[in-house]
Amino acid sequence: MATTAPAPQLSALEQKLQKSKTSKTAWVGTAVFTVMLVVGLGYIITKLSKDLAAVHSASVFPYLLLGVALLIALGFEFVNGFHDTANAVATVIYTHSLEPHLAVVWSGIWNFIGVLTSSGAVAFSIVALLPVELILKVSKGSGFAMVFALLVAAILWNLATWWRGLPASSSHTMIGSILGVGIMNQIMQGRSGTSGVDWEQVTKVFKALLFSPLIGFAMAALIFGLFKLLLKDERLFKAPEGEEPPPFHIRALLILTCTGVSFFHGSNDGQKGMGLIMLILVGTVPTAYALNHTVDRGSVQTFAAVSTQVAGALHNYEEPSAVVGDSGQELERFVSSHQYQPETMLATEQMVIAIRNEAVSYGSLGNVPQDMQANVRNQMYLTSEAFRLMAKSGPKMNAADAAVIANYKGFLDKSTRFIPTWVKVAVALALGLGTMVGWKRIVITVGEKIGKTHLTYAQGAAAEITAMITIGLADGYGLPVSTTHVLSSGVAGTMAANRSGLQLSTIRDIAMAWVFTLPAAALLSAGLFWAFNAIAK
């Protein structure tokens, strides 16, 4: 007689979802996000159409290329939502503080707000890791090959780890992809294979990615220990019983921390794709996006006066013997190699004067001719990067000159490193949609597979507070960190502090994903960059 195989055991989350399928929160949450999606798409289409109205192109190719590139870039943020946004809701779901569908929508709303209020510092710290020669050629075949390789490699690896239910880091994946493109670019150029990568910037970012999980583990354990020492409510340290929500004050704390993590996740992780989207926009339609058209005639006049001050300040540090043939080539060499030479100062002064004369002649950045927008942007970008590096490797400047240069650099960055609001809305919607579609796998891992016992209220709050503080501080310093790793390590830290025991197989898998993400993403992006570059020739 044939025997029937036993049905696979459902996870605690799946059991909870089965009971809540007919609940009002399920369809209310979907309806709220649907309204946000429709309104957001309407806003994006309106703003994008208005921006593109200034573009006069006889060919439809730039628009087709723009559409494909934006879909891929937003696809990265969509898959990012599978991973990172899901972490914010795990604790409120497993402590029954919020019904799952409502938790996802609530987190999505605060992610949206976080993205909209983000500064853009993280976005451009990612761009600063890219080979400068590819950034300057972003409208050429090699520039597009770079952007597509980065994004497709990141999407493929994120999908692979999500499918396995592993909380891998989108930040880690992006850094690996950037390394792969930079090294392959230099191999293809026949040079050392490393000079195209800004290793100083990579090291700075990688340290943040390396230490944030360790900080998350230790801080969450410490906060949990403080809870035990200071809070006498025994219910905080027990697993939820049945389906009942926790007492009001505990529930309020958990919802507040979920809100904070969601907000800071949006303000930090939401920026990772923004810088690449801006490179796409500059490459496909430079007329609309190469320069910030909100910089008006009055600002340009002020800029001209400051430029004259800066040129005078730089002249004080020039060597009489310095001679420069092409100031742009000299600055590109300096930004690529980080090796200061006497000619660098003279080239910088010449470029400052050239940018000043162009800005004054056009009156405002919006009046720069269509075929000159990308060129003026490249001049500004190179000069800004030269000043950033000169502060470390150039001659020591007095405080007054350094202040004038910092003010001038701020104008350059305002002119070239801007993010339109519609881009932020698009990224926020992509993140939210990804969360709505793929949140369950990672939530189950965080909520059920890290510790051997069910998550207690205090453990959930400690892990979320840790993630909120860590991501908030990183955002303030313009550093990308992994929400996934910070929260996962925070949960592990509370389990260790409570001596609840850890599921070592899950910890091993997460650690293996952490170790292999960098080389795997680098190999993927390097191979894709080589292939795309061959096609683009």
Side-chain angles (χ1 to χ4, degrees):
M1 183 176 177
T3 58
T4 305
Q9 185 176 0
L10 295 178
S11 69
L13 175 63
E14 290 167 329
Q15 295 175 30
K16 187 176 180 66
L17 286 173
Q18 279 193 344
K19 295 176 183 178
S20 65
K21 274 184 179 178
T22 57
S23 70
K24 289 183 179 180
T25 54
W27 66 263
V28 167
T30 303
V32 168
F33 185 78
T34 301
V35 171
M36 289 174 61
L37 186 62
V38 171
V39 173
L41 287 174
Y43 175 81
I44 293 166
I45 292 170
T46 301
K47 290 295 183 181
L48 185 57
S49 300
K50 184 179 178 182
D51 290 346
L52 296 182
V55 179
H56 304 291
S57 175
S59 172
V60 298
F61 180 72
Y63 302 107
L64 291 175
L65 190 61
L66 173 63
V68 172
L70 283 178
L71 282 176
I72 294 174
L74 293 175
F76 166 73
E77 295 294 353
F78 175 77
V79 176
N80 188 5
F82 283 21
H83 271 284
D84 289 3
T85 317
N87 288 283
V89 299
T91 54
V92 289
I93 290 173
Y94 277 94
T95 56
H96 310 309
S97 298
L98 286 177
E99 193 275 334
H101 298 95
L102 181 60
V104 170
V105 173
W106 180 254
S107 175
I109 291 171
W110 284 98
N111 264 280
F112 187 90
I113 295 171
V115 172
L116 287 184
T117 56
S118 61
S119 65
V122 173
F124 293 110
S125 72
I126 292 289
V127 171
L129 303 177
L130 298 169
V132 66
E133 61 266 31
L134 294 181
I135 295 175
L136 299 179
K137 298 173 184 174
V138 71
S139 59
K140 310 295 183 183
S142 57
F144 283 115
M146 171 189 70
V147 175
F148 286 150
L150 288 174
L151 292 170
V152 173
I155 289 170
L156 290 175
W157 183 252
N158 277 348
L159 280 175
T161 51
W162 166 81
W163 184 255
R164 293 283 298 165
L166 296 176
S169 165
S170 296
S171 305
H172 211 161
T173 304
M174 182 60 72
I175 303 306
S177 297
I178 289 170
L179 287 176
V181 165
I183 293 173
M184 178 56 72
N185 177 61
Q186 291 308 307
I187 291 174
M188 291 167 63
Q189 297 299 320
R191 296 204 292 269
S192 66
T194 59
S195 59
V197 178
D198 188 341
W199 288 104
E200 183 181 348
Q201 287 292 100
V202 168
T203 302
K204 177 182 173 183
V205 170
F206 191 68
K207 282 180 180 178
L209 293 174
L210 174 65
F211 289 113
S212 56
L214 303 177
I215 293 170
F217 185 94
M219 185 184 295
L222 177 63
I223 292 174
F224 181 76
L226 289 174
F227 281 172
K228 278 206 160 185
L229 183 65
L230 301 176
L231 303 178
K232 302 306 180 184
D233 191 339
E234 290 296 325
R235 294 172 298 180
L236 273 170
F237 307 100
K238 293 180 180 178
E241 297 178 1
E243 299 293 325
E244 290 299 313
F248 176 79
H249 65 285
I250 299 174
R251 189 178 190 184
L253 174 64
L254 289 164
I255 293 174
L256 177 64
T257 54
C258 166
T259 303
V261 171
S262 300
F263 174 81
F264 286 116
H265 172 266
S267 67
N268 189 283
D269 273 47
Q271 296 188 52
K272 291 184 176 74
M274 285 184 192
L276 296 179
I277 290 175
M278 290 310 300
L279 285 182
I280 290 168
L281 294 173
V282 170
T284 51
V285 281
T287 305
Y289 298 108
L291 295 171
N292 187 352
H293 293 173
T294 63
V295 178
D296 56 15
R297 186 175 297 275
S299 298
V300 166
Q301 290 174 350
T302 303
F303 172 68
V306 174
S307 299
T308 302
Q309 284 183 295
V310 170
L314 295 177
H315 191 73
N316 296 330
Y317 303 94
E318 287 174 13
E319 294 188 16
S321 60
V323 177
V324 174
D326 186 315
S327 57
Q329 288 182 2
E330 169 57 26
L331 289 188
E332 186 173 340
R333 181 207 61 77
F334 173 53
V335 172
S336 298
S337 67
H338 297 191
Q339 294 176 359
Y340 178 85
Q341 294 177 355
E343 293 78 15
T344 305
M345 188 66 72
L346 177 59
T348 306
E349 181 193 353
Q350 290 179 356
M351 190 65 80
V352 168
I353 293 171
I355 294 171
R356 180 199 64 188
N357 294 342
E358 287 172 339
V360 171
S361 66
Y362 299 133
S364 70
L365 296 187
N367 291 335
V368 176
Q370 181 170 332
D371 58 347
M372 289 294 293
Q373 294 259 348
N375 184 59
V376 173
R377 173 193 173 272
N378 284 349
Q379 290 178 330
M380 289 184 165
Y381 180 85
L382 269 178
T383 307
S384 177
E385 285 296 286
F387 279 129
R388 178 178 68 83
L389 296 173
M390 204 179 291
K392 302 172 183 177
S393 59
K396 181 69 174 178
M397 295 185 179
N398 62 53
D401 289 340
V404 170
I405 289 172
N407 184 34
Y408 175 81
K409 186 179 182 302
F411 182 92
L412 295 180
D413 292 343
K414 179 183 177 183
S415 302
T416 59
R417 302 186 181 195
F418 64 99
I419 300 174
T421 303
W422 73 261
V423 171
K424 295 183 178 183
V425 172
V427 167
L429 290 176
L431 270 174
L433 192 59
T435 304
M436 295 285 285
V437 171
W439 60 278
K440 296 176 191 173
R441 288 179 181 270
I442 304 300
V443 166
I444 289 173
T445 298
V446 174
E448 299 182 35
K449 297 182 179 180
I450 293 178
K452 290 183 177 180
T453 60
H454 195 291
L455 202 67
T456 68
Y457 303 129
Q459 287 174 318
E464 292 274 18
I465 289 171
T466 298
M468 185 170 63
I469 293 172
T470 306
I471 300 166
L473 289 174
D475 191 40
Y477 285 102
L479 294 172
V481 294
S482 169
T483 301
T484 301
H485 284 157
V486 172
L487 191 67
S488 299
S489 60
V491 171
T494 64
M495 292 290 178
N498 198 40
R499 299 176 182 173
S500 308
L502 296 170
Q503 296 192 40
L504 295 182
S505 60
T506 301
I507 301 300
R508 180 199 63 215
D509 289 345
I510 292 174
M512 291 292 285
W514 193 93
V515 170
F516 284 112
T517 288
L518 196 73
L523 287 172
L524 268 173
S525 66
L528 288 170
F529 178 67
W530 178 85
F532 292 159
N533 207 56
I535 294 170
K537 284 184 177 178

